Amino acid sequence: MALDGCGLFCKYILIVFNIIFATVGLAFLGLGLWLRFSNDTRGIFEIDALSSTTFVTAVTVLIVLGLVMLVVVVFGDYGACNEKRCALQVFSVLLALLAGAAVAVGVITYSKKDEVGLHIADFYSSMYALYVSNGDPVVGITLRFIHMMLHCCGVTGVPLVEIAKETCPKPQDFLEHIVMPSCPGKIISTFDSRAPLVMGILIGTGALLVAALVCSIILLKQLKTVQQEVTAYYRSVY
């Protein structure tokens, strides 16, 4: 007795889903661990006065989220590849929790968009201060990406006095040679205008998790049916 077309389709969908999920989880975990244990950032975690900053919180969230995603992948991949119902049941519960969390975070992010924008700006300021203090090239690339994406320049917006002005974009007109938008202010205004998009992305992520959950439930039912057919067959034979 084998899985039918729908069951096989869901099995392969879950395998692909787990590969993507594992890649994202490893990226989050790797980035979080690098920021936590890098020689350039380790000091932030060892100073009590800085232990509650947005930077520390963001790094902790990256590590925890990466670990949770990898745990989900372990159960999902093992359950789908080996057709183990117990592993798939745990996988389904974890997916349901993650889907609910994604939707909840999306709604909370939108309802508290001003506060979230301030936290993101604070995270940027921590990255900026880190680059100014040690000139970490990876942090410099990150700052350059943010500056180019938002077309802003550091914490002051004045290229002549900016310490990290080499990461700023080229001025587009004469006035921008004197002053450009400051990044903390630009981050807050941009997030405020795009908060609905962020909420939509998080709710869409929750919907994808629900789709994977549906596939997991279908596969569970198929495996239960197959197990019942195998049991009935052996009973009739023996």
Side-chain angles (χ1 to χ4, degrees):
M1 289 66 175
L3 296 172
D4 62 16
C6 187
L8 281 175
F9 177 75
C10 283
K11 176 179 178 177
Y12 294 128
I13 285 293
L14 289 179
I15 292 174
V16 173
F17 170 83
N18 283 315
I19 291 173
I20 297 173
F21 217 58
T23 303
V24 177
L26 284 172
F28 284 167
L29 181 60
L31 178 60
L33 290 176
W34 175 77
L35 291 173
R36 175 62 181 85
F37 296 107
S38 171
N39 291 330
D40 297 323
T41 58
R42 188 184 304 168
I44 296 177
F45 296 86
E46 297 173 351
I47 301 174
D48 293 336
L50 298 177
S51 61
S52 60
T53 63
T54 302
F55 180 82
V56 173
T57 303
V59 171
T60 304
V61 169
L62 279 174
I63 294 174
V64 172
L65 181 59
L67 286 173
V68 170
M69 293 176 72
L70 292 179
V71 169
V72 172
V73 167
V74 168
F75 282 104
D77 206 38
Y78 177 73
C81 292
N82 297 284
E83 300 180 359
K84 301 294 185 180
R85 292 179 59 206
C86 183
L88 283 174
Q89 287 170 347
V90 176
F91 176 68
S92 299
V93 172
L94 293 174
L95 278 183
L97 293 175
L98 284 177
V103 173
V105 170
V107 173
I108 292 173
T109 299
Y110 180 75
S111 63
K112 297 186 176 182
K113 55 185 178 180
D114 294 335
E115 184 178 344
V116 174
L118 288 173
H119 283 303
I120 297 175
D122 184 42
F123 178 77
Y124 166 82
S125 298
S126 298
M127 295 287 288
Y128 179 88
L130 188 64
Y131 178 73
V132 170
S133 64
N134 56 42
D136 189 308
V138 177
V139 178
I141 292 173
T142 304
L143 287 179
R144 183 182 296 275
F145 173 77
I146 295 172
H147 292 166
M148 295 297 178
M149 182 176 64
L150 298 178
H151 193 72
C152 59
C153 184
V155 294
T156 65
V158 182
L160 294 177
V161 300
E162 269 299 327
I163 301 175
K165 61 183 178 181
E166 67 275 6
T167 64
C168 295
K170 293 181 178 180
Q172 294 181 343
D173 53 41
F174 175 77
L175 289 177
E176 286 193 350
H177 282 85
I178 303 173
V179 61
M180 296 179 69
S182 67
C183 289
K186 194 66 178 288
I187 288 172
I188 293 172
S189 62
T190 300
F191 185 83
D192 183 69
S193 63
R194 297 184 181 179
L197 176 62
V198 174
M199 182 180 68
I201 291 173
L202 288 169
I203 292 177
T205 301
L208 289 175
L209 293 172
V210 169
L213 175 61
V214 170
C215 273
S216 180
I217 293 173
I218 291 174
L219 185 56
L220 274 170
K221 290 184 177 180
Q222 287 277 321
L223 292 175
K224 183 178 180 181
T225 301
V226 170
Q227 185 178 15
Q228 289 174 343
E229 290 176 352
V230 170
T231 302
Y233 171 78
Y234 280 109
R235 282 179 180 174
S236 64
V237 172
Y238 299 102

